[in-house]
Structure formats: structure tokens, C-alpha cells
């Protein structure tokens, strides 16, 4: 989910914005370079991978020159393929840097620097934090994103970030004040890439045929953008309104051309920010997240469906903005009302006549919310909260979403979950199992892995539905010391052979999912499959890997940083 409260005006006034140093690309990372085509397993092929972009000499210390690093050690900041799209034989993607650090700082309020063998989060002790007056310490590990073009025919990777920075000072400032390229879409010869910025969202446009950079714009009304989808020849995107979606959500329909690629209209007004969108049976379906602040039951995570695209004028219009209907809400499943506030909904897909979706859970966020809500100070009760608030991904599907009573199935999940009663146990608080109202059709939540915490991506191709997760088992060993006993009691200790993101596939709507890979697709430091797109013969996977200190190619540990993979669909049979 990785909500990043990075855009509030109070954090960075204009004077502070001007003081942010511009992070120049290293010579090795700019221009055209040959992509890595090493086969790491019998299945996926590594098309491209992040390389070290900074030298690290210790928490709070200045960064030595390089790489190559004459002093200190190489560090790879770019950690996620956050936005991914394919146009013809070209794959476009954008990155996010040190996203795990940003999440720990913003969503879990971590402030104390952390350094271990795998990663470092400096927070306010970083050089950026020290040099930028007014920058919240939680944001000290941020670095500007990168934009790349991968050509499948020539297997050439080109860093397109320089095209943006060289265009104008406005373009340069926009890319250098963007949290990350969190969304990417392509349609009618235009590629749009965008992400949350300091003051809204920034969008960047390219000509998909020539690769030429077309320009950028800022939409300050909105605070987040995460996915695009093409429906009946039109490009749509889901957004959040205001910082962290505090003003709700919207769906935008883009109708521009190469001379003005950013023309749009608002075709949905929703009570919560949009997470993902997909076309389903002539409509657009969307999942949402609640805002971190200002939660109400009305803006809890939910599934929404649009009017028919064919009704009235072609596609959705402004007339449809208030005609979307809620299909399902987390409140109909999660029995604990405080834990329900922390749910997000992630990827969704249209498959076999059903709409599929899954849940998302920031580790320990529900614990934090419950302890804060009930002002729990007793150590034993806090430990029980850790044990009883952890949730893992649940997978649902619905038929008849355009009816007043959609038929919703729980495919992977729980029939009972712990619920807290603050008045129980003579007023000291008590936990008990409560019904979710569902019986899982195929198995336990997380596909049986309690460390699968995000339903991060879905794609349908070759008659199958593929589901990509985030698995936080590897990084759970770095959780706050006081939380470890409760986590182990709740989830168990993960076998090291299961470290890494999971990829699962439904061969048909009548069968349970099968594991394609449960070990990060060749690199167990890949803790998430952040994005996926498919063509007729394979799936392109954008991996999330935040292990920014794992850069030693001479040891027996794989390397950190994002990876772009291609998995032939024939390899999943």
C-alpha cells in the first residue's frame, strides 16, 4: 500500500523546495545501456536491474563521490518498478527510491535511523534531511525517481530521465520533486507517467512511437495516482484528492493528443482515494484506500463499479461522476472496527465473468491504530494487540456486480478473526474470535503464507489470472524488538526457503490458485511483485526490492534494487 504523506504544503514551503538539491544521474545510469539478460531461473529472465547510484559511508555522514566508490560502499536507492506500461514492442517504466524507508517513516512513524546488512534508513540524519530546512525526518531517504524505456526487440534499456531534466527548468523541478513514478499508462500514441509530488501529482508525457518527450504538468488538486487503464479506446486513471486522499478520490479520463497530452475530465467522485482500476463487463471497477487521517466508515476501503461505458455518449463523462455504486466494503468482512480502518484494497481483475480483488495490510499498522485508539499502555495487552491485529491478504471475487446484491465469494481468507472488546476482562480489554461472515472457498488468507501482506498486482493472460504479492517474511526479522514475540506467535517463523514475493495463478474460475513461484522469481530479496503487464507470450514484472546495501556481486547474497523481469507464459504451465 505504501501511503506516503509527502505532499502536504506545511512540510515544504516554496523556499524549502528551492533548497532541495538536484540529484544528478551518474554517467553509468544515463543514456542507452545494454540490459542484463541473465537467466536467473528456468522461468523469468532479468531484462534490467537497478545499479548503485550513491556511496554510503555511515548514517549521517556525507556521501563520498561515486560510484565507483573509492570510500564507503555502493548503495542502490532506486527500489521499485512503481509504474509500468507496454506500447507495441516498448516497455516504459518509472521507479521509486527507498520506498520502504518512506513507508516506515510516514506510515509507522519511525524516526530512529536503522542500518543492517540489507538496508539503511537514515530518516532525518540523512544529508538531504540535514540540508533541507523544514523537511520531515520521515522523508530523508527520498531520492527523485527515474524513467526508463526498454525495447524488447533490441533488448536495449534507455534512461529517459535526462530528456525530462533537459527540457526546461519547470520539467526538471517536477521530476526532482516527485516521490516516485507510481503510475504509467499508454494509449493513442502517448505514454503518461505520474506520481505524487510535494504539492500534488506530476505527470510526464512521451510519444510512444518516437520516444520523444512531450512535456509535463502538475495537478495540485490531487495527492496520489496509482494506476491507468484503457477502456473502449480511452485512457482513465484513479487518483486521490488532496494530501493522502483526505478529500476522497476520483477517476480521470484523458482525452489529449501529442500537442496537449494532459487534457482530462473527472468521471468519478468517490469517498476514498482510488488504488486500482480495471475494465469489467463494459464498466470500470475500482478499489480504494482510506485516508490516514479523517477516517469515517463511509470512506473505508471498498470496491466500486461505474455506469456502463456504452450508456449515453461513448465512455464515461462528467455526467457519470456521481453514479458509481459500491460493490463491497471491508466492513462486511473484518469484525474489528479499528483494524478495518487500516485495510487497503489493492489489485483487481476481470476474469471468467467475475471481478477479483485482494486486500492490503501495512505490517504493524493495525497494531499501532488499535493501541492508539484505546490508549493501551499495559505491556501484556500491547503484546496481545500485536498477536491479534496482524492480517494477511484475502482474495475475493464477485459476480453480478451491476446488480443490487452482488454475489461475493471469499476465495482465500478466514471464517473467524480476532476482535477486541475494550470493556472485556473487567475493563482491561479482551480478545475473542468473531465471524467474518464468510467461509473461504479454497484456503487460508495469504495463500497459506501469513507473510503475504499485499495483493499488489493482477494480470489476465493466456486464459489464466496471475496474482503477485508482497511477502514481508525476510524483513520481519528487522521489526521493532518488542513486536517480535507477538509476530512470531501470530504468524510463526517463515522458512528461509519461502523468502521473496509470491506469484500465483488461477488456471480457471473453477479451480484454486497454483503457486508459480514463491521465492521472489530468482531473487529472494525481491519482496514484492509491484507491477505486471502482459502480451501474447509473456508477463513483464516490475519487482520491489528495497535492500539498498546489498550491492556486493562477489558474495552469495543476491543484489538489491528494482528488477524488470519477463516470464514466458509457457513457463507457468
Amino acid at each position: 500500500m505504501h501511503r506516503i504523506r509527502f505532499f502536504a504544503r506545511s512540510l515544504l514551503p516554496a523556499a524549502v523546495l528551492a533548497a532541495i538539491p538536484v540529484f544528478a544521474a551518474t554517467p553509468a545510469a544515463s543514456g542507452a545501456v545494454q540490459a542484463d539478460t541473465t537467466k536467473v531461473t528456468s522461468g523469468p529472465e532479468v531484462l534490467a536491474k537497478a545499479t548503485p547510484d550513491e556511496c554510503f559511508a555511515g548514517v549521517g555522514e556525507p556521501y563520498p563521490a561515486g560510484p565507483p566508490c573509492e570510500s564507503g560502499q555502493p548503495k542502490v536507492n532506486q527500489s521499485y518498478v512503481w509504474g509500468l506500461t507496454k506500447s507495441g514492442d516498448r516497455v516504459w517504466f518509472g521507479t521509486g527510491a527507498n520506498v520502504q524507508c518512506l513507508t516506515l517513516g510516514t506510515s509507522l512513524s519511525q524516526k530512529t535511523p536503522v542500518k543492517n546488512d540489507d538496508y539503511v534508513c537514515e530518516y532525518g540524519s540523512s544529508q538531504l534531511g540535514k540540508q533541507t530546512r523544514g523537511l520531515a525526518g520521515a522523508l530523508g531517504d527520498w531520492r527523485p525517481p527515474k524513467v526508463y524505456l526498454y525495447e524488447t526487440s533490441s533488448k536495449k534499456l534507455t534512461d529517459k530521465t535526462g530528456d525530462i531534466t533537459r527540457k526546461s527548468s519547470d520539467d526538471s523541478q517536477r521530476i526532482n520533486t516527485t516521490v516516485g513514478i507510481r503510475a504509467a499508462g499508454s494509449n493513442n500514441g502517448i505514454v503518461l507517467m505520474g506520481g505524487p509530488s510535494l504539492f500534488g501529482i506530476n505527470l510526464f508525457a512521451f510519444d510512444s512511437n518516437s520516444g520523444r518527450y512531450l512535456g509535463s504538468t502538475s495537478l495540485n488538486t490531487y495527492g496520489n495516482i496509482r494506476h491507468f487503464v484503457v477502456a473502449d479506446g480511452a485512457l482513465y486513471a484513479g487518483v486521490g484528492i488532496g494530501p493522502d486522499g483526505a478529500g476522497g478520490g476520483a477517476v480521470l479520463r484523458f482525452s489529449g493528443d501529442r500537442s496537449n497530452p494532459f487534457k482530462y475530465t473527472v468521471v468519478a467522485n468517490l469517498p476514498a482515494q482510488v488504488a486500482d482500476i480495471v475494465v469489467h463487463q463494459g464498466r470500470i471497477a475500482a478499489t480504494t484506500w482510506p485516508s490516514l487521517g479523517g477516517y469515517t466508515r463511509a470512506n473505508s476501503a471498498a470496491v466500486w463499479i461505474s455506469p456502463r461505458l456504452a450508456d449515453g455518449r461513448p465512455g464515461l463523462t462528467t455526467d457519470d461522476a456521481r453514479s458509481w455504486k459500491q460493490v463491497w466494503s471491508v466492513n462486511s468482512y473484518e469484525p474489528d472496527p479499528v483494524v478495518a480502518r487500516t485495510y487497503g484494497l489493492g489489485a483487481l481483475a476481470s476474469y471468467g465473468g467475475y471481478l477479483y480483488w485482494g486486500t492490503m495490510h501495512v505490517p504493524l499498522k493495525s497494531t499501532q491504530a488499535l493501541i492508539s485508539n484505546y490508549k493501551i499502555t499495559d505491556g501484556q495487552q500491547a503484546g496481545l494487540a500485536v498477536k491479534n491485529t496482524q492480517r494477511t491478504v484475502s482474495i475475493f471475487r464477485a459476480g453480478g456486480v451491476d446488480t443490487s446484491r452482488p454475489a461475493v465469494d471469499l476465495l482465500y481468507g478466514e471464517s473467524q478473526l480476532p476482535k477486541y472488546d475494550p470493556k472485556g476482562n473487567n475493563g482491561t480489554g479482551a480478545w475473542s474470535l468473531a465471524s467474518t461472515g464468510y467461509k473461504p472457498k479454497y484456503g487460508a488468507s495469504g495463500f497459506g503464507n501469513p507473510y503475504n501482506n499485499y495483493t499488489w498486482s493482477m494480470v489476465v493472460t493466456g486464459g489464466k489470472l496471475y496474482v503477485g504479492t508482497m511477502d514481508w517474511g525476510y524483513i520481519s526479522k528487522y521489526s521493532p524488538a518488542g513486536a517480535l514475540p507477538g509476530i512470531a506467535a501470530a504468524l510463526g517463523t517463515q522458512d528461509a526457503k519461502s523468502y521473496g514475493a509470491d506469484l500465483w495463478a488461477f488456471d480457471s474460475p473453477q479451480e484454486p490458485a497454483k503457486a508459480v513461484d514463491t521465492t521472489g522469481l530468482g531473487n529472494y530479496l525481491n519482496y514484492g511483485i509491484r507491477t505486471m503487464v502482459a502480451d501474447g507470450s509473456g508477463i513483464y514484472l516490475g519487482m520491489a526490492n528495497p535492500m539498498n546495501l546489498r550491492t556486493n556481486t562477489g558474495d552469495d547474497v543476491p543484489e538489491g534494487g528494482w528488477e524488470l523481469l519477463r516470464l514466458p507464459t509457457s513457463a507457468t504451465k
Side-chain angles (χ1 to χ4, degrees):
M1 191 152 45
H2 290 328
R3 304 183 184 101
I4 298 177
R5 300 190 69 178
F6 195 57
F7 0 88
R9 295 180 184 273
S10 59
L11 289 178
L12 289 171
V16 175
L17 179 62
I20 293 177
V22 174
F23 290 81
T26 61
S30 60
V33 295
Q34 195 67 26
D36 185 352
T37 58
T38 303
K39 284 198 173 184
V40 293
T41 73
S42 60
E45 177 184 6
V46 182
L47 304 180
K49 180 167 179 59
T51 56
D53 52 17
E54 197 170 85
C55 299
F56 175 74
V59 172
E61 298 297 321
Y63 307 125
C69 304
E70 294 187 5
S71 61
Q73 67 181 103
K75 180 187 177 194
V76 55
N77 290 299
Q78 302 296 331
S79 57
Y80 285 21
V81 175
W82 227 3
L84 176 68
T85 189
K86 190 171 186 290
S87 179
D89 65 351
R90 295 178 169 186
V91 178
W92 295 81
F93 64 98
T95 69
N98 296 324
V99 181
Q100 176 180 255
C101 296
L102 301 184
T103 300
L104 292 173
T106 58
S107 191
L108 294 179
S109 303
Q110 297 293 310
K111 298 178 182 178
T112 304
V114 174
K115 179 183 179 297
N116 51 58
D117 291 339
D118 293 300
Y119 66 86
V120 59
C121 296
E122 296 184 88
Y123 304 121
S125 296
S126 72
Q127 293 301 297
L128 178 64
K130 291 178 177 180
Q131 297 170 11
T132 310
R133 182 181 178 184
L135 182 69
L139 310 177
D141 296 282
W142 163 73
R143 304 292 186 270
K146 295 283 190 178
V147 173
Y148 291 99
L149 165 62
Y150 178 81
E151 298 178 79
T152 60
S153 56
S154 64
K155 296 188 175 182
K156 184 174 71 174
L157 180 74
T158 302
D159 184 342
K160 302 292 286 184
T161 318
D163 293 11
I164 299 172
T165 58
R166 290 189 294 267
K167 178 75 172 181
S168 72
S169 60
D170 286 344
D171 291 275
S172 181
Q173 184 183 61
R174 285 192 181 103
I175 194 65
N176 282 301
T177 55
T178 299
V179 178
I181 302 298
R182 202 171 195 175
S186 53
N187 189 46
N188 291 333
I190 297 172
V191 172
L192 286 182
M193 312 188 83
S197 73
L198 303 182
F199 302 133
I201 61 174
N202 289 334
L203 297 176
F204 306 88
F206 292 84
D207 185 318
S208 61
N209 297 323
S210 67
R212 180 172 61 93
Y213 176 58
L214 300 176
S216 66
T217 192
S218 298
L219 304 181
N220 295 335
T221 300
Y222 306 109
N224 206 355
I225 183 170
R226 196 167 179 267
H227 279 284
F228 288 91
V229 69
V230 176
D232 283 358
L235 184 66
Y236 298 84
V239 298
I241 301 172
D244 190 45
V251 174
L252 312 181
R253 177 180 176 174
F254 288 88
S255 56
D257 53 26
R258 289 178 176 85
S259 63
N260 179 18
F262 307 113
K263 183 179 178 182
Y264 72 91
T265 54
V266 178
V267 297
N269 290 313
L270 301 176
Q273 58 187 317
V274 178
D276 204 349
I277 54 177
V278 73
V279 180
H280 177 66
Q281 296 182 331
R283 302 171 186 265
I284 292 178
T287 52
T288 64
W289 295 339
S291 173
L292 285 177
Y295 171 85
T296 66
R297 190 176 176 88
N299 66 19
S300 57
V303 180
W304 294 81
I305 194 76
S306 78
R308 286 195 171 276
L309 298 170
D311 290 349
R313 288 173 288 173
L316 300 180
T317 70
T318 55
D319 294 338
D320 299 307
R322 299 193 178 278
S323 299
W324 291 56
K325 296 180 180 179
Q326 187 179 105
V327 174
W328 183 87
S329 165
V330 299
N331 297 305
S332 68
Y333 173 68
E334 172 56 56
D336 190 285
V338 175
V339 175
R341 300 178 190 176
T342 67
Y343 273 59
L345 294 184
L348 74 171
S350 178
Y351 178 62
Y354 295 95
L355 181 66
Y356 287 70
W357 68 87
T359 63
M360 300 182 72
H361 310 273
V362 176
L364 297 175
K365 184 62 182 175
S366 53
T367 307
Q368 184 185 71
L370 189 123
I371 289 175
S372 175
N373 186 78
Y374 295 112
K375 298 178 173 57
I376 295 174
T377 58
D378 178 77
Q380 183 178 5
Q381 288 297 321
L384 288 172
V386 173
K387 176 182 177 180
N388 289 295
T389 57
Q390 302 310 305
R391 302 291 187 263
T392 188
V393 299
S394 298
I395 306 295
F396 295 84
R397 74 179 181 195
V401 296
D402 57 344
T403 67
S404 59
R405 296 178 63 85
V408 178
D409 298 319
L410 174 63
L411 304 183
Y412 290 89
E414 308 299 328
S415 58
Q416 293 181 313
L417 286 168
K419 180 180 180 181
Y420 184 67
D421 177 6
K423 297 180 181 179
N425 196 24
N426 297 319
T428 61
W431 290 91
S432 62
L433 289 175
S435 174
T436 64
Y438 291 88
K439 182 179 180 180
K441 186 177 180 67
Y442 296 134
S445 54
F447 299 103
N449 174 4
Y451 287 94
N452 271 330
N453 60 303
Y454 289 175
T455 311
W456 237 349
S457 52
M458 290 186 181
V459 70
V460 176
T461 185
K464 299 182 180 183
L465 167 60
Y466 294 86
V467 182
T469 76
M470 174 185 168
D471 177 340
W472 71 291
Y474 185 81
I475 61 170
S476 67
K477 58 186 177 180
Y478 298 125
S479 298
L484 285 174
I487 292 173
L491 306 183
T493 302
Q494 187 177 32
D495 187 335
K497 294 180 181 179
S498 297
Y499 288 152
D502 289 13
L503 180 65
W504 290 76
F506 290 91
D507 290 343
S508 82
Q510 288 75 44
E511 301 177 58
K514 298 176 181 178
V516 176
D517 187 281
T518 59
T519 59
L521 291 136
N523 182 344
Y524 62 81
L525 299 185
N526 289 335
Y527 72 3
I529 302 171
R530 182 62 187 82
T531 47
M532 290 193 291
V533 297
D535 57 20
S537 60
I539 306 170
Y540 295 86
L541 305 101
M543 308 302 288
N545 181 335
M547 312 306 172
N548 54 27
L549 295 183
R550 286 297 186 186
T551 57
N552 184 357
T553 58
D555 62 17
D556 60 356
V557 179
E559 282 64 67
W562 61 259
E563 293 182 354
L564 178 67
L565 309 180
R566 184 179 183 276
L567 181 67
T569 51
S570 59
T572 69
K573 292 181 179 180

